[in-house]
Amino acid sequence: MSTTLSPWLLPALIAIPFVGGLVAWYAERLSLTWPRWIGLLSMSATMLLALWIWSQADVPGVIPAHGTPAWLIEFRADWIPRWGISLHLGLDGLGLLMILLTGALGALSVACSWREIQQYVGFFHLNLLWNLAGVMGVFMALDLFLFFVFWEVMLVPMYFLIALWGHSSHGGRSRVYAATKFFIFTQASGLLMLVAILALVWLHKENTGQWSFEYTDLLYTPLAHWQEVLLMLGFFVGFAVKLPIVPLHPWLPDAHSQAPTAGSVDLAGVLLKTGAYGLLRFVLPLFPNASQDFAPVAMALGVVGILYGAKLALVQTDIKRLVAYTSVSHMGFVLLGIYAGSALALQGAVVLMLAHGLATGGLFVLCGELYERLHTRELGKMGGLARRAPHYATALMFFALASLGLPGLGNFVGEFLVLTGSFPVSPWATALAATGLILAAVYSLYVVQRALHGPAATDAPVEDLTSREKLMMALMMGALLLLGLFPQPVIDLARGPLVQIAYWYQQGVPTP
């Protein structure tokens, strides 16, 4: 662990958005603009703090694959000692990359809602920032009870974001329906995961005589094969719903289509990644034998998700639902890479998580900006935007090309590494998954053709991107270019923990 960084930096990463949300809520009494600036500064400060940690941390070049997990920073404080529960936070290269993504997309979520949200502005930013604070905790919690608390903290604010500020189709019922559907799916799967956590802790106590929710203690708990399989399935379903994996995905298109723009960016860019992170951090290391047995099923589900999501994207007429189904397809590649289990495939999955967050986040921002101008999301009512709004058309074209995996952009690197790492494990699954790249090109160019070209549904002028929107798009495009052309710093940062996870997964049982 690095000796130059204070452990209190980890609670600070959670406290900044948490306190920022409270301040933004009260600041609404003074001005509607203050909550926006407070939210933007809070998430920007979080992102800059994460970048500073990266620049100062002593990132190990090689981590002993068979040893105890190594953390760049670690924070620990007693909470409920009688039950072995502590406030234990830790950050390694994998977690740090997820924190950076959360900070960047959190700032983007605030910026893109600048004009869209005009009612209860302070309460909106309270929910948005508290949701992001919960995500920060999920990426750092090393006590499984604390992890579950943060997992639930993400849920309620997102429910309010969709239910209160979402788009209504039928007298307000659609957004409440979508929010309730999201709540039921995630709450039910979360409770199943809680049961699995408590069962794992109880089995650990039976073996050692001590209660403990510590990740590093539970990592080495001896389990009978049937116990490991049942516990693995409990964790897997909890994370599969959030990823989401077909057939546990029905909440996603409704939530995206009804959510405000900031909610869609948050959902696609950040919340979906908590499911993939949970598989990497908990399922594979805690239950390696059961995970290996389950790998053919999981990889098959990944391939189904790739093809099913792409197929449904092709028949959508609502541009937000189309982008939502592309998320199902792209996260299928992530699932395939995770259960391939090789270090190369895991690295590809992480790069793709970052690239997907940036590219899909950019697409949802553009969908929101287009809805503000045209007051419709129907592709049939668009057309001719390349002529009427050239800067908007440029940005949409860029993110569409990123989504289809154009070489030179981040998505291509992630998908290429996933397919390369998965092929030795399952050639047939990899070959089928690769056909998803063809479908991605079809649905991406379909959006470009319907929205940007062809006859316009109306001759009314369309406002092009404002200076604020151009800056947002430029930063996102620059990040995707950097990730596509210079991915090595990201790969190096995550290599240590991913090599360790791959070793445990392939060897069967982690050893201290």
Side-chain angles (χ1 to χ4, degrees), residues 13 46 50 91 95-104 136 139-140:
L13 287 169
T46 303
L91 200 61
L96 183 54
L97 287 174
M98 296 298 103
I99 293 289
L100 278 169
L101 180 67
T102 305
M136 296 281 186
F139 290 142
M140 293 187 288

Side-chain angles (χ1 to χ4, degrees), residues 26-259:
Y26 283 103
E28 184 181 8
R29 304 174 183 180
L30 304 175
S31 167
L32 292 182
T33 304
W34 280 39
R36 300 183 176 109
W37 281 110
I38 292 168
L40 184 61
L41 290 173
S42 297
M43 294 315 303
S44 298
T46 303
M47 180 180 63
L48 291 174
L49 180 56
L51 284 171
W52 185 79
I53 291 173
W54 188 359
S55 69
Q56 298 297 314
D58 182 18
V59 180
V62 178
I63 296 177
H66 59 279
T68 302
W71 312 106
L72 303 175
I73 320 177
E74 199 170 357
F75 173 87
R76 189 194 301 268
D78 287 337
W79 188 10
I80 312 175
R82 178 178 179 181
W83 300 108
I85 298 173
S86 62
L87 298 173
H88 188 191
L89 303 173
L91 200 61
D92 60 4
L94 173 61
L96 183 54
L97 287 174
M98 296 298 103
I99 293 289
L100 278 169
L101 180 67
T102 305
L105 294 182
L108 179 70
S109 298
V110 176
C112 73
S113 60
W114 209 270
R115 293 195 308 184
E116 180 183 12
I117 304 302
Q118 298 296 331
Q119 291 185 323
Y120 311 113
V121 178
F123 191 52
F124 171 84
H125 287 87
L126 170 76
N127 282 282
L128 180 60
L129 267 65
W130 277 20
N131 173 268
L132 293 166
V135 172
M136 296 281 186
V138 163
F139 290 142
M140 293 187 288
L142 296 180
D143 179 284
L144 265 68
F145 185 84
L146 181 64
F147 171 82
F148 182 76
V149 169
F150 284 125
W151 188 263
E152 292 298 298
V153 165
M154 298 187 303
L155 175 59
V156 176
M158 181 54 68
Y159 173 85
F160 284 123
L161 287 173
I162 299 172
L164 296 181
W165 293 277
H167 304 292
S168 300
S169 300
H170 304 287
R173 287 178 294 175
S174 287
R175 63 188 182 192
V176 174
Y177 169 80
T180 304
K181 194 173 183 179
F182 163 78
F183 187 91
I184 291 173
F185 267 84
T186 52
Q187 182 72 2
S189 62
L191 290 176
L192 180 61
M193 183 168 63
L194 176 61
V195 171
I197 290 172
L198 295 176
L200 178 61
V201 170
W202 184 80
L203 289 171
H204 176 80
K205 193 261 183 187
E206 290 294 301
N207 281 296
T208 65
Q210 292 183 339
W211 293 103
S212 177
F213 284 79
E214 283 288 327
Y215 174 70
T216 49
D217 291 342
L218 299 175
L219 195 62
Y220 310 115
T221 302
L223 299 170
H225 185 67
W226 68 270
Q227 294 171 336
E228 186 178 347
V229 169
L230 291 177
L231 293 176
M232 183 275 296
L233 289 174
F235 276 82
F236 177 82
V237 171
F239 297 131
V241 168
K242 196 62 71 75
L243 194 61
I245 295 171
V246 177
L248 302 175
H249 71 290
W251 63 269
L252 182 70
D254 289 321
H256 271 310
S257 61
Q258 304 304 329

